[in-house]
Amino acid sequence: DSAAAVASAAAEVRNMLAAMIPFDFDRATLRADDMGALDQKVAILTANPDLRIRISGNCDERGSDEYNLALGNRRGTAAKEYLVSHGIDASRIEPASFGAERPLAMGHDEDSWAQNRRDEFEILSGGDVLRRP
């Protein structure tokens, strides 16, 4: 059924777009092994020119609120700059920072902190019909 195939393709594209990018402690530098996930996002954004996204930078609980908000902003901006440097119009990407306000893991150990240091990708508009790259 072609409707099911379209829905399946859109779900696959949404999952690829939603893949989070992790960061090392106290860093906003993209890691080489994460470039493939960002390249997939470039392909998705290229194939779906009406798509607009938000990149939310997140931090672990260590550091002051002000420091973590600034670090989260640098993390979101790093991913945005990568996408823009690969041909995506900057106006389609909204960076945001949540600092340590939205943890994925509630523990107070390195494993939890590592999960909380990330960029998240959210569709703002243009995601009703997504084409596979």
Side-chain angles (χ1 to χ4, degrees):
D1 176 50
S2 65
V6 168
S8 174
E12 180 184 332
V13 170
R14 268 191 190 79
N15 288 338
M16 287 189 298
L17 190 61
M20 292 180 260
I21 302 296
F23 287 89
D24 292 327
F25 174 67
D26 199 30
R27 297 281 182 261
T29 307
L30 298 169
R31 301 186 303 200
D33 55 345
D34 296 315
M35 300 302 175
L38 287 167
D39 290 339
Q40 282 185 328
K41 295 173 195 322
V42 169
I44 291 167
L45 288 160
T46 301
N48 296 277
D50 294 331
L51 190 60
R52 290 189 63 249
I53 63 169
R54 174 182 298 126
I55 303 173
S56 303
N58 295 271
C59 303
D60 64 37
E61 65 187 357
R62 298 172 289 178
S64 70
D65 290 346
E66 295 81 14
Y67 181 82
N68 283 335
L69 283 170
L71 179 59
N73 187 58
R74 289 193 305 274
R75 288 174 173 169
T77 299
K80 177 180 178 172
E81 288 175 354
Y82 183 91
L83 299 175
V84 169
S85 74
H86 286 77
I88 304 304
D89 189 312
S91 68
R92 298 175 59 199
I93 306 164
E94 174 185 302
S97 176
F98 290 102
E101 296 171 23
R102 297 191 340 187
L104 285 180
M106 299 308 289
H108 306 286
D109 56 30
E110 183 52 42
D111 183 57
S112 297
W113 294 329
Q115 292 178 59
N116 294 332
R117 298 187 303 259
R118 70 199 186 280
D119 273 347
E120 291 184 354
F121 298 79
E122 174 187 1
I123 295 173
L124 295 176
S125 65
D128 297 334
V129 178
L130 292 174
R131 287 182 289 289
R132 205 181 256 143

